Amino acid sequence: MTMMRKKKDQSGGQALGASGAQGRRASKSTTGSSWHLKGLYKHSPLFLTPDVVSCSSLHPRQPGVQHREINIEDLEEGPVVNGESLPTDAVVSGSKRRSQSGGAGPKKDGEEAGRAAPLEQSSTSGKLRKKKKKQKNKKNALGETLENGLEDIDRILERIEDSGGPRRPSPQPLSARRHVLYVEHRHLNPDTELKRYFGARAVLGEQRPRQRQRVYPKCTWLTTPKSTWPRYSKPGLSMRLLESKKGLSCFAFEHSEEYQQTQHKFLAAVESMEPNNIVVLLQTSPYHVDSLLQLSDACRFQDDQEMARDLAERALYSMECAFHPLFSLTSGACRLDYRRPENRSFYLALYKHLSFLEKRGCPRTALEYCKLILSLEPDEDPLCMLLLVDHLALRARSYEYLVRLFEEWEAHRNLSQLPNFAFSVPLAYFLLSQQADLPDQELGPTREKASLLLRQALTMFPGVLMPLLEYCSVRPDAAVAGHHFFGPSAEISQPPALRQLVSLYLGRSHFLWKEAATMSWLEENVREVLRAVDAGDPAVGECESRRKVLYQRAPRNIHRHVILSEIKEAVAALPPDVTTQSVMGFDPLPPPDTIYSYTRPERLSPVSRGNTIALFFRSLLPSYTTEGERPEDGGAEGLDRNQGLNRLMLAVRDMMATFHFYDPEAPHEAHAEGDGEWD
């Protein structure tokens, strides 16, 4: 009896292995036929009625219950097994025999197992053994039934496709339909990029599981709220839809009355030049955006980069929680007018967060934020992100994106007139030609395109070459250094605006040219340009005349970008009219046509003008302001510092003229001498 039981177990194991293989084949056929099932009723020339395909082909058979079989009489051939066609009756009868044998197997095995087991062991072990055998036999029957039914369905669908029925046209690639400024949510998270570089274990290893101590109101895309932040409560910041036209939606942030009062306190704290006043304000209003951004700058100046980044992220989180339900980060069709002061905070928060991401080593994420800022107002480009997008694309190795942006925007934006695009685009073409997976038929044209664009850039901006070689610690030969076209005169003769753009590009992107292959390619094209100059190419004179006309004065958005970039070489090239005026970190160089939704109330001094002594002592206080110092619009940028200083100097001069200083021990001697003289 023991030997018989072992043989039966072995046969049951073999049956289980067969059923497992059949189950895997059935699962493969199921996954392979899912696409065909979707388009069956819509595109097939045949209409499958319930009489043709029944539920028995999708559900397992049960013993003793009659099921309707698949009708395949309309097919020209029967099922194919091992390359030979079989009649339909054989398939149907075979499936019936398999179902009957599968139903009778458990009963027979159960009776033999019951007779073989002794009375002492007819307990839990015997019952478990019976259940296992029943489950094995059920799996055999189920796998055979599913395999037969699904194979018939697959064969029907294949013949329908072969009959020439209409097919659904394949959709275009998703990237072809996306706008050039399309933003992907997954690329807004820096952890996605860090995981690709270092692995998920290195990025998430030190992070603790989320605790349920604080409940945040919503899921955000731009930042992830931290447990160390204060509990979020609406600070009075909201967003409204202004208008929708031509497929674009214009939005604007709004300040409630409570938020306006906090904003007035913030402006007073900034005028005091004391960062602790802003800290006190944040204790009562922990999610006031301008206070967070200003304190972030103060921490960054003190080399506390971690705290500065945390404050900038909190400001961005506060503004994202105020989004309108229709405001989309990814569509590229939502606009924010930079002329409104309430909207500028969002621009600056995004830019500061972008800067921290770049320093953190996440250029791909920073590129996505750059595209987001550019999509908010692409025509005006208030922060001039076109001076940065090429640098981030090269650092992120998104060469195809940079080439696509240049090709689509060159016609109406003249990107080749910017030194950064003039040199970055040929570098992107060259780096594309260096990739190993590029086909041979595309390698040559890509390299030629890169060389042509680089020669055009060197001809248009000859003052870039020598400073670039100096940054890269490369000494040119005498033929290049001594030539008048690339010599010192080329850099000195540049207009002021062009010198500023060149300084910005070289200070930011010079290290991208340090590779040996890149420098060798640059040397080849420099010699080609010198040959063209010596041959009297007319393009050289045309470029010189365009330089004198186009780059007389840089617009205000370029100056604003230079101030935010904090690149020393570019800041030193700013014109005097920009460097002499006061620049606020929370609102650098506001546009002259600012649209104010509310005004700051003028604070009148309780001290009269006639009391010069009181005016002097009051001027020593941090919150001192003089009358008539603020314009009607209430903007902080309108303070007349020179007027207040002149009034203070007049008060000090008047006070000093009325004071008499004397020594308390000297009156007796002076009185005696005076009496003698008078007498």
Side-chain angles (χ1 to χ4, degrees):
M1 293 298 292
T2 306
M3 296 296 296
M4 292 176 62
R5 188 179 298 113
K6 289 184 179 180
K7 290 183 179 180
K8 290 181 180 294
D9 293 341
Q10 293 176 359
S11 62
Q14 295 175 358
L16 178 60
S19 65
Q22 293 171 356
R24 286 192 294 271
R25 289 196 296 271
S27 62
K28 290 182 181 179
S29 63
T30 304
T31 56
S33 62
S34 61
W35 184 85
H36 302 293
L37 288 174
K38 293 181 181 178
L40 176 62
Y41 293 97
K42 187 176 294 185
H43 302 290
S44 63
L46 302 178
F47 185 79
L48 301 181
T49 61
D51 294 333
V52 179
V53 179
S54 65
C55 296
S56 62
S57 60
L58 301 179
H59 297 280
R61 297 177 180 270
Q62 297 180 0
V65 180
Q66 294 183 357
H67 294 273
R68 184 174 296 169
E69 299 296 336
I70 297 177
N71 186 7
I72 54 175
E73 294 178 356
D74 296 335
L75 302 179
E76 297 178 358
E77 300 179 0
V80 179
V81 178
N82 296 330
E84 299 180 1
S85 60
L86 298 178
T88 307
D89 298 338
V91 176
V92 176
S93 61
S95 61
K96 288 183 178 180
R97 286 195 299 270
R98 283 192 295 268
S99 63
Q100 292 174 0
S101 62
K107 182 177 180 182
K108 184 178 179 180
D109 294 341
E111 292 176 355
E112 292 181 358
R115 290 194 301 267
L119 296 177
E120 297 88 344
Q121 299 178 354
S122 60
S123 57
T124 307
S125 60
K127 293 181 180 179
L128 292 176
R129 191 180 298 109
K130 292 179 182 179
K131 289 182 179 180
K132 289 182 180 180
K133 291 184 178 181
K134 289 182 180 180
Q135 290 176 359
K136 292 178 183 178
N137 293 325
K138 286 182 179 180
K139 288 181 180 179
N140 294 339
L142 187 146
E144 293 173 357
T145 306
L146 283 178
E147 181 182 4
N148 295 332
L150 293 175
E151 284 180 357
D152 293 338
I153 293 177
D154 291 339
R155 189 174 66 257
I156 293 173
L157 295 176
E158 290 176 0
R159 295 192 59 80
I160 290 174
E161 288 185 352
D162 295 339
S163 62
R167 295 183 180 181
R168 181 179 301 177
S170 59
Q172 297 180 356
L174 186 59
S175 59
R177 299 196 305 266
R178 289 175 177 172
H179 191 264
V180 69
L181 298 180
Y182 178 82
V183 178
E184 298 185 39
H185 279 143
R186 63 188 182 94
H187 288 309
L188 293 175
N189 188 0
D191 291 343
T192 303
E193 185 172 6
L194 293 175
K195 289 177 185 177
R196 189 169 68 251
Y197 294 154
F198 308 107
R201 179 174 300 179
V203 176
L204 304 177
E206 299 180 358
Q207 296 184 4
R208 298 179 180 178
R210 295 182 178 179
Q211 301 177 356
R212 299 183 179 180
Q213 297 178 356
R214 291 185 173 91
V215 179
Y216 294 95
K218 59 186 297 186
C219 178
T220 54
W221 293 105
L222 299 178
T223 57
T224 302
K226 301 178 181 179
S227 59
T228 57
W229 290 357
R231 185 178 183 86
Y232 178 80
S233 60
K234 293 184 178 180
L237 188 65
S238 60
M239 178 186 283
R240 67 185 177 97
L241 176 63
L242 298 179
E243 59 178 354
S244 298
K245 59 180 181 180
K246 298 181 180 180
L248 301 178
S249 301
C250 299
F251 295 86
F253 284 95
E254 285 186 332
H255 295 172
S256 64
E257 294 184 0
E258 180 182 359
Y259 198 93
Q260 293 178 15
Q261 297 297 327
T262 307
Q263 187 74 10
H264 299 333
K265 296 178 182 179
F266 164 73
L267 295 177
V270 171
E271 293 172 2
S272 67
M273 301 296 179
E274 180 58 43
N276 291 330
N277 294 338
I278 302 179
V279 175
V280 174
L281 180 61
L282 284 176
Q283 292 178 355
T284 57
S285 302
Y287 285 94
H288 182 256
V289 177
D290 288 343
S291 299
L292 291 170
L293 295 178
Q294 190 71 18
L295 190 60
S296 175
D297 289 341
C299 294
R300 185 165 51 85
F301 293 150
Q302 297 177 2
D303 294 333
D304 192 354
Q305 300 293 331
E306 188 66 25
M307 179 59 68
R309 187 182 69 180
D310 186 80
L311 292 172
E313 291 180 358
R314 199 200 304 182
L316 202 57
Y317 174 76
S318 178
M319 303 204 76
E320 188 175 3
C321 290
F323 280 174
H324 192 275
L326 299 179
F327 185 80
S328 175
L329 296 171
T330 61
S331 64
C334 297
R335 299 290 183 264
L336 285 176
D337 194 350
Y338 192 80
R339 294 176 299 173
R340 297 180 177 272
E342 297 87 352
N343 295 341
R344 296 174 200 163
S345 301
F346 187 57
Y347 280 90
L348 296 175
L350 288 174
Y351 187 90
K352 294 180 186 299
H353 187 56
L354 179 153
S355 302
F356 286 119
L357 289 173
E358 185 182 5
K359 295 177 182 178
R360 193 181 175 185
C362 302
R364 182 63 184 87
T365 310
L367 175 62
E368 212 69 17
Y369 277 90
C370 183
K371 291 160 55 178
L372 174 58
I373 299 174
L374 190 57
S375 67
L376 295 178
E377 200 170 359
D379 296 333
E380 299 297 331
D381 194 9
L383 299 186
C384 206
M385 302 307 295
L386 287 177
L387 299 178
L388 179 61
V389 63
D390 62 297
H391 170 76
L392 295 176
L394 290 176
R395 285 199 59 190
R397 300 182 180 181
S398 300
Y399 310 130
E400 297 86 353
Y401 174 77
L402 179 57
V403 171
R404 180 191 173 192
L405 177 64
F406 178 77
E407 292 177 349
E408 293 186 9
W409 283 26
E410 168 63 17
H412 65 282
R413 299 296 291 269
N414 294 325
L415 297 181
S416 60
Q417 304 304 314
L418 296 174
N420 59 310
F421 266 92
F423 284 89
S424 294
V425 173
L427 181 59
Y429 273 110
F430 174 75
L431 294 176
L432 278 175
S433 66
Q434 296 293 105
Q435 293 182 354
D437 56 350
L438 192 68
D440 296 337
Q441 60 271 16
E442 298 182 7
L443 180 61
T446 304
R447 183 68 176 266
E448 293 178 1
K449 181 74 172 179
S451 300
L452 176 62
L453 292 176
L454 181 59
R455 290 194 293 269
Q456 293 177 357
L458 291 171
T459 305
M460 185 65 187
F461 308 105
V464 175
L465 179 62
M466 300 307 295
L468 176 60
L469 296 179
E470 185 178 356
Y471 273 111
C472 298
S473 302
V474 175
R475 179 178 298 177
D477 56 7
V480 176
H483 201 282
H484 66 89
F485 189 72
F486 290 120
S489 59
E491 185 178 359
I492 297 174
S493 61
Q494 292 182 133
L498 180 57
R499 188 183 305 112
Q500 181 179 344
L501 292 174
V502 170
S503 301
L504 180 67
Y505 172 69
L506 294 178
R508 174 180 284 159
S509 305
H510 65 274
F511 63 91
L512 298 174
W513 295 82
K514 288 186 175 182
E515 295 292 334
T518 305
M519 193 58 63
S520 177
W521 168 66
L522 176 62
E523 181 182 359
E524 296 174 2
N525 289 275
V526 166
R527 298 189 183 280
E528 291 292 333
V529 172
L530 289 180
R531 294 191 190 98
V533 171
D534 295 338
D537 192 349
V540 178
E542 295 176 1
C543 292
E544 184 178 358
S545 60
R546 278 191 294 170
R547 285 197 302 269
K548 295 179 180 179
V549 174
L550 296 178
Y551 304 99
Q552 293 300 322
R553 179 175 176 81
R556 196 174 183 85
N557 61 341
I558 292 182
H559 295 159
R560 190 180 298 119
H561 179 88
V562 171
I563 292 174
L564 290 175
S565 66
E566 298 180 355
I567 297 177
K568 297 179 180 179
E569 297 82 2
V571 173
L574 286 172
D577 59 340
V578 177
T579 56
T580 54
Q581 60 179 313
S582 59
V583 178
M584 300 296 178
F586 65 93
D587 191 9
L589 299 181
D593 54 346
T594 299
I595 302 175
Y596 291 102
S597 59
Y598 63 93
T599 59
R600 181 184 178 186
E602 184 177 0
R603 296 184 302 167
L604 298 177
S605 176
V607 183
S608 61
R609 295 185 181 181
N611 194 343
T612 56
I613 299 177
L615 182 61
F616 170 72
F617 284 107
R618 183 170 177 79
S619 66
L620 301 178
L621 298 177
S623 59
Y624 166 74
T625 55
T626 57
E627 297 179 7
E629 204 175 35
R630 191 174 311 282
E632 294 181 357
D633 55 13
E637 64 276 7
L639 294 175
D640 190 355
R641 303 290 182 184
N642 294 330
Q643 182 180 359
L645 182 60
N646 293 335
R647 188 171 296 176
L648 177 61
M649 295 301 296
L650 290 176
V652 173
R653 187 179 302 172
D654 189 12
M655 180 185 65
M656 297 299 295
T658 57
F659 276 1
H660 296 279
F661 297 95
Y662 61 92
D663 191 354
E665 299 179 356
H668 179 70
E669 298 178 357
H671 181 71
E673 294 177 357
D675 291 342
E677 291 177 358
W678 282 106
D679 292 340

